[in-house]
Amino acid sequence: MASTDMTADTASGRQISICFVTHTGELYGANKSMLSTIELLRKRGVRVGVLAPCDGPLCARLSMMEIPYFQLTYCWWMEPEIVSAHWLVRLTLQIQKRIHCIKKARLNRRAVGLASNWLNRNKFSVVWSNSVVISFGADLAEANELDHVWHFKEFGDLDFGLIFDCGKNRALKRMQTSRLSIAMSHAIKRHFTNENFGSSIRVVYDGLGWKENLQLWKKSEPDKLARTFAFVGFVQPAKGQDVALRALSFILPQIPDARIIFIGGGDIDWAKALAREIGVDRNCVFVGYVDDPTDYYNKADAVIVCSKAEGLGLVTIEAMIHGRPVIGSSTGATPELIDHQETGLLFDGTDRSLAHAMSNLASTPGMCRELGVTARVRAIERFSFERYDAEISKILMDLA
């Protein structure tokens, strides 16, 4: 267990209390990461609160954890990119988008006033934005002359096809005004680095648990050949479920009992329809959203991560700690987590390459075990709360 000698009263004597601003009411990677950060801060005596743009599983969890929160509507500063071959359609959509952005700005200005009242009543001294897709936290901090921490947990464009309303250059200038900027991977830091901004961004990997607890996670069976693959994540094209389904179709003639368990909400009907179209639906199980996928990691022999641009990869880390080898796309931050043929396998993002990696795990005795054991040891060391807690301590000192 980490020491708690660093509390809200820092060396300078300043009392630190932090208001987190999140971008969604769901409980996926970014918000789970935020809750881990909050847990560590509370152990250090730091008062925390959360602003959420809508109700949902996050607010339910905050209530259960007795963390004060304020739910009000505010808007993202990123939108899907306009893609159309016809110039008139593009022009019309651009005009509509401009009007929409003006309405969003007005709504956010009103929301800043409401949030400021709650912020001041609770005497928060720092505003911490939990996502790159919102600038509301920066606006709120500026309006109340408070320090702002911007935690970049996604690319925005590469992973979700979003672009900044004001353009990337102006967005980077806005980001420069933050007291501290944190990226959850080197890949994200590189993405938001230009000649004027980025060198001061610090990279801090998430922590998933205390070492003593992580050691209790179930290990893989010895000499197990991979037959059951888990795919954990929101069901949408950007996550690559289609790539996994096609790869499965390529290996079934040689390995007819191979199957993929898909865990996650989203457009499940799309994935099911594609599985039927490809002819692999009998070898697929769609579970839907699960709050804690531990049981499915334990059932799986290996885990597949096909995201086109993963900001860090909570699923990859969780799988590694469970001792499951991950077959991950060699894009985004995934290569920072997986050492090819040592802790898992990397593939080039294509279905044929993924099928080759799946076949290797399905036909090489002991490979799952060997990769999984090494992955587990390295992940526990790199992603423990002990290591993350030390990083949090440095952040609190810098905010003092």
Side-chain angles (χ1 to χ4, degrees), residues 85 300 304 355:
I304 298 170

Side-chain angles (χ1 to χ4, degrees), residues 76-89:
W76 295 11
W77 72 331
M78 299 189 79
E79 294 279 345
E81 186 175 7
I82 295 173
V83 180
S84 176
H86 196 282
W87 68 270
L88 184 57
V89 174

